């Protein structure tokens, strides 16, 4: 098998296993109150981490760049319009324009 | 009604599917540039369906890294799905195989949108929200692979800003909990503090620790 196909197979297997692990181990059980109160806040923590690492870091270096500016503009657009489409488009356009300068 | 909830999820996910399609088009371009055959790049989106993991794995192969390093990077990028799967687990009925299969429908946007205020999940909404995102992800990759000559360098169009803007929109839409803002700032701070010292993906998983703040505000038992 070539490296490319081994990569595709390997990534598919680990992704399947990771996504299956929680539901297999803990599925169908009742939800204790403390568990629910943590879970309810997990999207905020995980999504904020995704935003931060993709707009303020380049690999393992912290960095402010065109993407940072694009994401800042998209936050303002999202607040004003509430539109996910405009939010995403404004981020891409801002980043592209700054790179083109 | 399961069918109505599925449809509601599908409708709610359309904007995220469109943004994901843009992203996967840039993945298609980058994957082929990194040396993957056209078919392998498309099949990867078809069977892996995890954006950040795919980008990380292909970047490592493209830079001459080893197969093992690429797969480990993909696993680390996906490690947040461990946390999401644990959160979702109590809402999934059925036997082990059925739960494992249902767990495959977790992607960030669907998972966040399908959560109810009490921390349980509307699983039919989750399945419905993932369906258009999956279609767009595969289709976008096909467009990127076949149209790479026209698209060229995806960064020129600012497509690398689509991913964080997508999650920011989701964060601003879904953060309804009274402590959301503080936890979001905490999660961002943890991830940035760890970025210089840990492999990609670990800072994101570690950020879930910020959700422990929820223990302070738990309702009386």
């Amino acid at each position: 098998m070539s490296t490319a196909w081994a990569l595709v197979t390997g990534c598919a297997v680990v992704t399947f296993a990771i996504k299956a692990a929680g539901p297999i181990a803990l599925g169908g059980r009742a939800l204790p109150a403390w568990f629910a109160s943590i879970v309810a806040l997990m999207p905020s923590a995980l999504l904020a981490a995704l935003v931060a690492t993709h707009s303020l870091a380049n690999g393992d270096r912290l960095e402010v760049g065109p993407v940072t500016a694009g994401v800042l503009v998209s936050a303002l657009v999202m607040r004003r319009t509430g539109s996910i489409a405009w939010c995403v488009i404004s981020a891409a356009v801002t980043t592209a324009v700054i790179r083109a300068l | 009604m399961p069918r109505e909830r599925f449809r509601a999820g599908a409708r709610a996910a359309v904007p995220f599917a469109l943004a994901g399609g843009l992203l996967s088009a840039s993945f298609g371009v980058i994957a082929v540039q990194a040396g993957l055959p056209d078919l392998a790049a498309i099949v990867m989106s078809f069977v892996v369906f995890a954006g950040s993991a795919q980008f990380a794995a292909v970047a490592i192969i493209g830079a001459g890294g080893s197969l093992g390093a690429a797969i480990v990077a993909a696993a680390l990028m996906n490690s947040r799905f461990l946390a999401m799967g644990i959160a979702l687990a109590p809402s999934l009925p059925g036997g082990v195989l059925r739960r494992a299969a249902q767990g495959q429908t977790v992607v960030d946007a669907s998972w966040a949108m399908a959560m109810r205020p009490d921390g349980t999940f509307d699983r039919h909404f989750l399945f419905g929200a993932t369906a258009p995102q999956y279609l767009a992800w595969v289709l976008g990759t096909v467009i990127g692979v076949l149209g790479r000559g026209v698209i060229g360098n995806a960064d020129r169009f600012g497509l690398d800003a689509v991913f964080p803007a997508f999650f920011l929109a989701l964060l601003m839409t879904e953060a309804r909990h009274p402590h959301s803002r503080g936890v979001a700032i905490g999660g961002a701070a943890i991830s940035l503090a760890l970025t210089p010292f840990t492999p990609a993906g670990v800072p994101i998983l570690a950020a879930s620790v910020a959700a422990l703040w929820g223990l302070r505000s738990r309702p009386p038992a």
Side-chain angles (χ1 to χ4, degrees):
Chain A
M1 188 161 41
S2 73
T3 306
W5 287 105
L7 178 75
V8 171
T9 310
C11 288
V13 169
V14 296
T15 304
F16 182 91
I18 288 168
K19 286 189 176 181
I24 287 177
L26 296 167
R29 298 195 193 160
L31 195 71
W34 61 264
F35 183 80
S37 52
I38 293 173
V39 167
L41 283 168
M42 274 176 45
S44 300
L46 289 169
L47 295 171
L50 282 164
V51 174
T53 52
H54 283 86
S55 54
L56 288 166
N58 184 2
D60 60 0
R61 270 201 335 270
L62 299 183
E63 179 181 291
V64 173
V67 175
T68 319
V71 172
L72 276 176
V73 169
S74 77
L76 297 174
V77 170
M78 183 68 193
R79 177 159 286 184
R80 281 195 76 92
T81 66
S83 155
I84 295 158
W86 285 119
C87 170
V88 166
I89 290 167
S90 64
V93 169
T94 307
T95 305
V97 167
I98 290 174
R99 281 211 180 107
L101 291 177
Chain B
M1 301 303 110
R3 186 170 295 188
E4 281 162 28
R5 297 309 299 153
F6 186 94
R7 283 203 194 122
R11 274 197 302 274
V14 166
F16 292 104
L18 294 176
L22 279 179
L23 206 64
S24 68
S26 71
F27 170 76
V29 175
I30 289 167
V32 175
Q33 283 169 352
L36 258 65
D38 291 6
L39 187 62
I42 294 166
V43 170
M44 190 175 197
S45 282
F46 196 74
V47 297
V48 179
F49 183 40
S52 52
Q54 289 177 231
F55 276 106
V58 160
I60 287 176
I61 291 291
S66 73
L67 177 65
I71 294 173
V72 168
L76 289 174
M77 285 312 296
N78 278 336
S79 57
R80 68 183 185 278
F81 293 128
L82 258 183
M84 293 184 190
I86 290 169
L88 170 69
S91 303
L92 295 182
V96 167
L97 284 179
R98 190 162 160 224
R99 294 203 304 268
Q102 292 180 345
Q104 302 307 311
T105 62
V106 169
V107 287
D108 305 278
S110 309
W111 177 82
M113 288 192 291
M115 186 191 285
R116 301 189 187 102
D118 66 355
T120 63
F121 287 81
D122 182 338
R123 67 192 171 101
H124 295 289
F125 189 98
L126 172 79
F127 305 154
T130 296
Q133 293 185 84
Y134 182 66
L135 279 177
W137 185 253
V138 175
L139 209 68
T141 308
V142 173
I143 291 169
V145 167
L146 299 181
R148 62 185 179 273
V150 183
I151 299 170
N153 180 4
D155 283 1
R156 196 159 49 100
F157 299 107
L159 289 184
D160 50 338
V162 166
F163 191 76
F166 175 96
F167 289 112
L168 182 72
L170 193 58
L171 180 64
M172 291 172 77
T173 317
E174 294 303 312
R176 290 168 302 208
H177 193 283
H179 297 301
S180 289
R181 185 179 293 233
V183 169
I185 292 169
I190 291 170
S191 67
L192 290 175
L194 291 177
T195 293
F197 310 108
T198 59
V202 171
I204 298 163
L205 177 67
S208 56
V209 169
L212 291 175
W213 185 262
L215 288 176
R216 292 174 57 97
S217 59
R218 69 199 249 200

